Amino acid sequence: MSKRSDLYLYLISHNRKDIKTHTYIGCVEDFVNRLNQHNGLVAGGPRVTRKAAGDWEPVLLIKLPKDSKLDSKKIKKEWKSSSRGLESRIRKGFALACKYKLKVFVMKKKKQKVPVLDILDDLWKEDRVVADKKVWNKLLNVD
């Protein structure tokens, strides 16, 4: 019997105007390898992300611990089906992480301006964001 590893639900994006698909949500054990696949650095990966290969960057990762009883496919479907566009998908990702009490990882340095994540810029303390409930409510409800 194989031992399950942690899973990562992830949101990646690019800012190329010539390609319709600007965000992608996936689920994988080895996120670094999967990002390399999206960017065409290693073989494999979904066809839908190949046109923007080389331009994909991580936006948000949600960690599902290996001992979790949560259904990753159900959470991924919930994330994808109820959000459109980068800002909406970021907010939905944070909301799902809160709902299921999961750890969230965001990039401290971003290539593109993402207003919903700009809320966090001044809250970084070393390698993590320190925020109170008011800040998180603002993050989840920004328009």
Side-chain angles (χ1 to χ4, degrees), residues 16 19 24 34 37-40 42-56:
R16 286 184 51 184
I19 300 172
Y24 182 87
R34 187 61 160 174
Q37 288 177 329
H38 287 297
N39 281 317
V42 295
R47 283 181 289 180
V48 71
T49 63
R50 288 190 188 141
K51 284 185 180 179
D55 293 311
W56 293 103

Side-chain angles (χ1 to χ4, degrees), residues 43-69:
R47 283 181 289 180
V48 71
T49 63
R50 288 190 188 141
K51 284 185 180 179
D55 293 311
W56 293 103
E57 70 173 351
V59 177
L60 193 74
L61 278 80
I62 301 173
K63 181 179 178 182
L64 275 75
K66 58 186 164 201
D67 58 351
S68 172
K69 302 276 192 253

Side-chain angles (χ1 to χ4, degrees), residues 6-123:
D6 293 335
L7 290 175
Y8 293 90
L9 288 163
Y10 63 91
L11 170 64
I12 57 174
S13 73
H14 68 83
N15 60 0
R16 286 184 51 184
K17 305 293 183 216
D18 60 322
I19 300 172
K20 183 180 177 185
T21 303
H22 292 278
T23 63
Y24 182 87
I25 294 173
C27 184
V28 70
E29 289 179 7
D30 184 349
F31 175 73
V32 173
N33 184 63
R34 187 61 160 174
L35 183 62
N36 286 335
Q37 288 177 329
H38 287 297
N39 281 317
L41 301 173
V42 295
R47 283 181 289 180
V48 71
T49 63
R50 288 190 188 141
K51 284 185 180 179
D55 293 311
W56 293 103
E57 70 173 351
V59 177
L60 193 74
L61 278 80
I62 301 173
K63 181 179 178 182
L64 275 75
K66 58 186 164 201
D67 58 351
S68 172
K69 302 276 192 253
L70 296 172
D71 183 346
S72 60
K73 289 180 183 179
K74 179 183 167 200
I75 297 170
K76 179 182 167 187
K77 183 178 180 182
E78 186 177 351
W79 194 359
K80 289 173 74 170
S81 65
S82 62
S83 59
R84 292 286 181 261
L86 182 59
E87 296 250 340
S88 173
R89 287 188 163 187
I90 291 169
R91 283 193 298 274
K92 185 62 179 187
F94 277 117
L96 290 170
C98 290
K99 177 180 177 179
Y100 296 110
K101 297 178 176 38
L102 299 169
K103 284 187 179 179
V104 177
F105 301 89
V106 294
M107 294 295 293
K108 188 173 184 177
K109 295 183 180 178
K110 308 172 288 293
K111 289 182 188 172
Q112 57 184 311
K113 185 160 179 56
V114 184
V116 72
L117 292 180
D118 291 347
I119 294 168
L120 304 177
D121 284 350
D122 295 331
L123 302 173

